[in-house]
Amino acid sequence: MKSRFIRPAVAAFFLLLPLLPAQYAGSSPVDEARKQGFDDIDEQACKGWLEVLAGPAMEGRGTGTKGYLKAAKWIAARLKAFGLEPAGEQGSYFQWVRLVRFLPNQQASKLSVGGWSRKGGDGVVFESCEGKAEGEAVLIRGRGRDLSLQDPESLRGKVVILSVPLRDYFRSPLRKQIREAAPAAILRIVARAAQRRGMGRYQLASAVQMGAKLEDGPARKLLKKLGLPAKLAAHPKNAGLEVHPSKKSVRLTVKAKKEEIKSPNVLARLEGSDPELRDEVVICGAHLDHLGKRGTTIYPGADDDGSGSTALLALARAMKTNAKRPRRSIVFLWVCGEEMGLYGSKWYVENPLFPIAKTVCELQMDMVGRNEEKGNERPEDNIQTIHLVGSKKLSMDLHQLVLEENHHVGFEFEYDEEDVWNRSDHYNFAEKGIPIIFLFSGFHPDYHRPTDTVDKINFTKIANTARLMYLVAWRAANRIERIRHDGELSK
């Protein structure tokens, strides 16, 4: 991928970043109980840490790679040097996440209804999975971004056949409903079922989904065998959702080559000071992974999410440095697999090292090191801005706490990026009913490109993100009253 040139005005702006003040203008002093840790957050330290994390030795920190493991060990070494307690498995700083991927043998795999069967190839491609699955078939046809089932639980154990445009499927509630219903398999009707040449993408070992892609011809034949009109294979022209159950069963038999790896989440804890409250935790999080290497090209991920990982490191050191500890414990969590599909955080909430019921809130930092640059917005117009995402969905109490603590930092909050609500690791915590906040400084032209490099980072913004999250975490952990939960998750 070709490098992108920075406009001269933008380049000049980045040269001025070290001259920017620490806290933004108009911010108020911090109380003595938290001032020692607050003052410990240092932009130069952040710069040094990020230069390591986004440096060539880490090779883009791709989950499952040597570069990612090197980054995880480097973070763990910093935590040990800070004097923070390991919070991983078996007294370590690591929680190991199991990932698998498959290369299906298409000709040895088949799709069957009664005595009729179809092997892989020529319009049928089996997904990255292995094993056997069988269940009654249900055809779901739809179009539109608001597709939602009235009774998604009825899909449990069924073979779901989808005739829905891919864009609508991924953007509507339908995908989540189907996934949570745990169907036996998912068959997607697509315009072209391309066969992957190499191994499929990694998945959580605990959540491998049986499935296949079918082109129109094989899909029509399958529907006929199921007693359904063949014309229903076509995506509907009008918006809406249709459900067509069949009493006949579909069987999938998939044979594949399997590859399994483990990749660590990194965790440390600062124990709370109150014997009655220290078993409750406030989790502060970021994702350590990025895109790794593609060929010989390294994707350094300085902003995504080297910036959040760096801010979390600064926050962790500040908490340990501060003489007065909060009543509850603080957990610092760097997850793997975010770029693959929020895998590290999904694994954590399914295998929590601290009980979900004892988790007060989760505070997420993802891409907090740049000034938003999109459309007609220039980076120099967004020096103090940051997006506060999802803070009103589960706890207005937590939202208000963030607003109050921001008086000490001075961010200008924006609320126009709610579309990224489900695109970082806080989402898996919110799905468990845990109040969250998500700080995100916005998109820019270097997003997911090899040009996401350290020289373009606003270290004042990283440090101020760490300062704000330090204050919010300390106060949420120190209150006698636990953060109030507003009830059902607001979508």
Side-chain angles (χ1 to χ4, degrees):
M1 191 175 295
K2 294 183 180 179
S3 297
R4 299 176 63 88
F5 293 98
I6 306 176
R7 295 191 299 273
V10 178
F13 165 74
F14 283 112
L15 291 175
L16 293 174
L17 289 180
L19 303 179
L20 295 174
Q23 293 160 266
Y24 298 121
S27 56
S28 59
V30 176
D31 53 275
E32 285 299 320
R34 299 179 291 174
K35 189 176 186 301
Q36 185 179 9
F38 187 87
D39 291 344
D40 179 71
I41 296 173
D42 173 37
E43 293 176 36
Q44 287 304 310
C46 289
K47 185 175 187 293
W49 293 333
L50 186 55
E51 284 174 344
V52 174
L53 287 173
M58 302 303 183
E59 297 186 331
R61 309 185 309 279
T63 297
T65 67
K66 292 180 180 178
Y68 177 85
L69 185 58
K70 188 173 184 178
K73 290 180 176 179
W74 184 86
I75 290 286
R78 304 285 80 68
L79 297 173
K80 184 177 180 180
F82 297 163
L84 286 164
E85 171 189 343
E89 298 163 345
Q90 299 177 338
S92 75
Y93 289 100
F94 295 155
Q95 179 192 37
W96 291 94
V97 178
R98 290 180 55 232
L99 301 167
V100 294
R101 63 179 181 174
F102 304 93
L103 177 60
N105 183 332
Q106 298 292 338
Q107 288 298 306
S109 304
K110 65 181 181 179
L111 184 67
S112 308
V113 178
W116 175 86
S117 66
R118 187 74 178 251
K119 292 182 179 180
D122 192 24
V124 176
V125 173
F126 290 93
E127 303 271 29
S128 180
C129 59
E130 70 168 353
K132 297 180 179 181
E134 182 173 1
E136 288 185 359
V138 178
L139 171 66
I140 298 176
R141 300 178 77 232
R143 180 179 290 277
R145 293 185 60 176
D146 298 319
L147 300 177
S148 181
L149 294 163
Q150 291 185 349
D151 183 20
E153 186 62 25
S154 65
L155 301 180
R156 188 169 298 276
K158 303 291 179 63
V159 173
V160 174
I161 306 170
L162 282 173
S163 180
V164 178
L166 190 62
R167 186 180 182 88
D168 292 345
Y169 177 57
F170 278 96
R171 291 192 172 190
S172 71
L174 181 63
R175 183 188 181 212
K176 177 176 179 290
Q177 288 181 320
I178 292 175
R179 184 183 72 224
E180 292 184 347
I186 299 174
L187 309 179
R188 292 190 292 120
I189 301 174
V190 297
R192 182 172 178 269
Q195 185 171 335
R196 189 184 294 271
R197 293 184 178 180
M199 298 291 286
R201 64 180 180 86
Y202 282 110
Q203 306 172 67
L204 283 178
S206 59
V208 175
Q209 177 67 67
M210 296 288 290
K213 294 179 287 189
L214 285 72
E215 293 179 4
D216 183 73
R220 286 175 176 267
K221 291 181 180 178
L222 174 63
L223 294 184
K224 282 184 178 181
K225 295 296 180 182
L226 293 170
L228 297 172
K231 65 181 182 181
L232 296 181
H235 295 167
K237 295 181 180 180
N238 299 321
L241 188 68
E242 307 169 11
V243 179
H244 302 270
S246 171
K247 291 296 183 183
K248 295 185 178 181
S249 292
V250 179
R251 296 186 302 278
L252 279 77
T253 304
V254 183
K255 296 184 178 180
K257 178 183 176 182
K258 178 180 178 180
E259 182 179 290
E260 183 171 343
I261 62 169
K262 292 182 179 180
S263 191
N265 293 331
V266 186
L267 300 94
R269 182 180 78 139
L270 177 74
E271 186 177 54
S273 60
D274 189 327
E276 295 184 2
L277 292 177
R278 65 175 51 141
D279 62 338
E280 294 184 3
V281 299
V282 169
I283 296 180
C284 302
H287 72 88
L288 183 57
D289 68 303
H290 191 54
L291 301 178
K293 291 175 65 175
R294 295 178 180 178
T296 59
T297 301
I298 294 175
Y299 286 68
D303 188 32
D304 186 13
D305 185 28
S307 62
S309 292
T310 297
L312 182 55
L313 204 58
L315 189 163
R317 189 179 75 173
M319 283 289 183
K320 181 62 178 177
T321 298
N322 202 66
K324 184 175 176 61
R325 287 178 295 148
R327 293 182 174 92
R328 294 176 181 82
S329 297
I330 309 282
V331 172
F332 311 98
L333 172 62
W334 289 259
V335 295
C336 66
E338 191 270 356
E339 302 289 2
M340 293 178 169
L342 314 184
Y343 286 169
S345 55
K346 180 68 172 176
W347 184 273
Y348 178 86
V349 298
E350 290 179 348
N351 306 274
L353 298 179
F354 299 90
I356 295 295
K358 296 287 188 178
T359 302
V360 173
C361 57
E362 198 270 347
L363 314 179
Q364 188 71 17
M365 297 168 282
D366 190 349
M367 294 179 61
V368 294
R370 293 284 293 269
N371 298 330
E372 187 167 42
E373 183 182 1
K374 69 173 188 177
N376 61 355
E377 292 190 58
R378 301 174 302 171
E380 54 267 36
D381 296 330
N382 285 305
I383 294 173
Q384 289 183 224
T385 64
I386 199 161
H387 297 280
L388 182 56
V389 180
S391 59
K392 302 176 185 179
K393 290 182 180 288
L394 276 166
S395 175
M396 287 302 295
D397 187 22
L398 180 58
H399 174 75
Q400 186 60 36
L401 190 153
V402 176
L403 299 185
E404 292 171 4
E405 294 304 324
N406 188 49
H407 292 308
H408 302 299
V409 178
F411 274 121
E412 295 173 8
F413 288 138
E414 295 185 346
Y415 300 93
D416 60 346
E417 284 289 0
E418 288 297 308
D419 281 351
V420 301
W421 152 247
N422 61 352
R423 289 175 57 181
S424 194
D425 295 288
H426 63 280
Y427 183 71
N428 284 320
F429 290 88
E431 289 279 277
K432 295 292 185 180
I434 297 169
I436 65 92
I437 60 170
F438 170 29
L439 290 184
F440 165 61
S441 58
F443 290 109
H444 48 76
D446 302 298
Y447 172 67
H448 279 194
R449 293 176 181 264
T451 50
D452 181 8
T453 49
V454 174
D455 58 298
K456 300 166 188 171
I457 292 296
N458 179 344
F459 286 98
T460 297
K461 186 164 283 187
I462 289 181
N464 278 336
T465 297
R467 292 179 181 115
L468 177 58
M469 288 300 214
Y470 164 80
L471 296 173
V472 172
W474 202 98
R475 186 168 160 197
N478 196 58
R479 293 181 3 165
I480 296 295
E481 180 187 39
R482 182 167 166 161
I483 292 290
R484 292 188 298 276
H485 189 295
D486 294 338
E488 186 176 349
L489 177 62
S490 169
K491 302 296 183 182

